Amino acid sequence: DAGVIQSPRHEVTEMGQEVTLRCKPISGHNSLFWYRQTMMRGLELLIYFNNNVPIDDSGMPEDRFSAKMPNASFSTLKIQPSEPRDSAVYFCASSLRDRGYNEQFFGPGTRLTVL
Amino acid sequence: RKEVEQDPGPFNVPEGATVAFNCTYSNSASQSFFWYRQDCRKEPKLLMSVYSSGNEDGRFTAQLNRASQYISLLIRDSKLSDSATYLCVVILYNNNDMRFGAGTRLTVKP
């Protein structure tokens, strides 16, 4: 079975450009999460969706960041305009939310470098 | 104060050694606790859940101390393949909002 799929795996762009990261969750999962990981700040939750609806976006650093989930099998995280401090690994994770906690399965991540 | 704090290490131990990591959390309402493992340049993966009564999975033992708000992970008879970063994870009850610690890096040497 396919796990969480993220694209691109690597992205190098110049400051000011728009960046779009993509995620396909595991089929049947109803929760989707976007994380950012840096050496300085560790792994941070940016936003998560339940049944395609954004539940908590308090981790989104600023208005330059936006996330959408138009359907159960696709989500995007967009940065516009990008800045060098956005350089990080961005992970998407999905889970089947039931009562209580369910394991989150992470994708391989997108390594973003903003020059 | 960070919500979840871990000693970043690194811990450098010889094969066969026993090593323990601790993690403290600030929100007393936290209900669920986990250890994730992250290999270099890979994604985090669930290692084990942490139950109030403590739990063991092979060479790994996890314990929770609610009164002191910390959890621990003990690795016995460490293997080279145990080399990774171990992330402490805390979530609130009925909430999928996970808070990760910064991770503790372990290197097991021959």
Side-chain angles (χ1 to χ4, degrees):
Chain A
D1 288 341
V4 175
I5 299 172
Q6 290 187 247
S7 64
R9 294 292 306 276
H10 301 273
E11 176 83 20
V12 180
T13 191
E14 291 186 344
M15 182 174 63
Q17 297 297 307
E18 177 179 296
V19 175
T20 299
L21 310 180
R22 297 173 176 79
C23 175
K24 177 178 170 55
I26 292 173
S27 178
H29 282 189
N30 56 7
S31 293
L32 183 139
F33 308 79
W34 282 102
Y35 292 88
R36 177 174 69 176
Q37 187 174 39
T38 61
M39 288 292 291
M40 291 294 294
R41 301 175 67 89
L43 196 61
E44 303 172 282
L45 177 66
L46 301 177
I47 184 171
Y48 76 92
F49 297 81
N50 281 342
N51 296 315
N52 313 338
V53 176
I55 301 301
D56 183 357
D57 64 354
S58 59
M60 296 285 262
E62 47 196 275
D63 292 345
R64 297 184 298 106
F65 286 69
S66 62
K68 294 182 179 180
M69 191 165 186
N71 57 63
S73 59
F74 184 66
S75 177
T76 59
L77 178 68
K78 185 176 293 186
I79 309 171
Q80 167 63 20
S82 58
E83 297 182 4
R85 60 194 169 115
D86 300 331
S87 297
V89 180
Y90 291 80
F91 287 104
C92 175
S94 72
S95 72
L96 176 60
R97 187 179 182 193
D98 200 337
R99 280 186 290 178
Y101 169 78
N102 295 89
E103 178 183 353
Q104 293 188 14
F105 294 83
F106 284 75
T110 295
R111 187 171 296 273
L112 173 65
T113 302
V114 183
L115 302 174
Chain B
R1 182 185 173 188
K2 291 183 179 179
E3 292 175 303
V4 182
E5 294 199 62
Q6 291 183 252
D7 179 347
F11 284 64
N12 297 311
V13 303
E15 265 187 296
T18 295
V19 61
F21 310 134
N22 285 332
C23 165
T24 58
Y25 59 95
S26 60
N27 192 328
S28 59
S30 301
Q31 292 290 323
S32 301
F33 310 90
F34 308 88
W35 285 100
Y36 271 66
R37 169 188 169 136
Q38 186 172 23
D39 292 302
C40 186
R41 302 181 77 86
K42 298 289 188 180
E43 70 274 20
K45 292 182 179 180
L46 178 66
L47 176 66
M48 60 193 304
S49 303
V50 186
Y51 302 123
S52 297
S53 55
N55 50 298
E56 190 172 305
D57 182 3
R59 297 181 293 108
F60 298 81
T61 300
Q63 292 191 312
L64 166 64
N65 185 320
R66 287 189 182 274
S68 300
Q69 295 182 206
Y70 80 80
I71 68 175
S72 64
L73 177 67
L74 181 78
I75 305 175
R76 292 180 300 277
D77 188 23
S78 54
K79 311 291 185 190
L80 297 177
S81 57
D82 294 334
S83 297
T85 297
Y86 292 83
L87 303 166
C88 170
V89 182
V90 172
I91 65 170
L92 295 177
Y93 177 73
N94 202 27
N95 184 332
N96 274 310
D97 188 351
M98 298 174 74
R99 298 295 175 184
F100 285 79
T104 298
R105 185 172 175 182
L106 171 67
T107 300
V108 181
K109 299 184 175 181

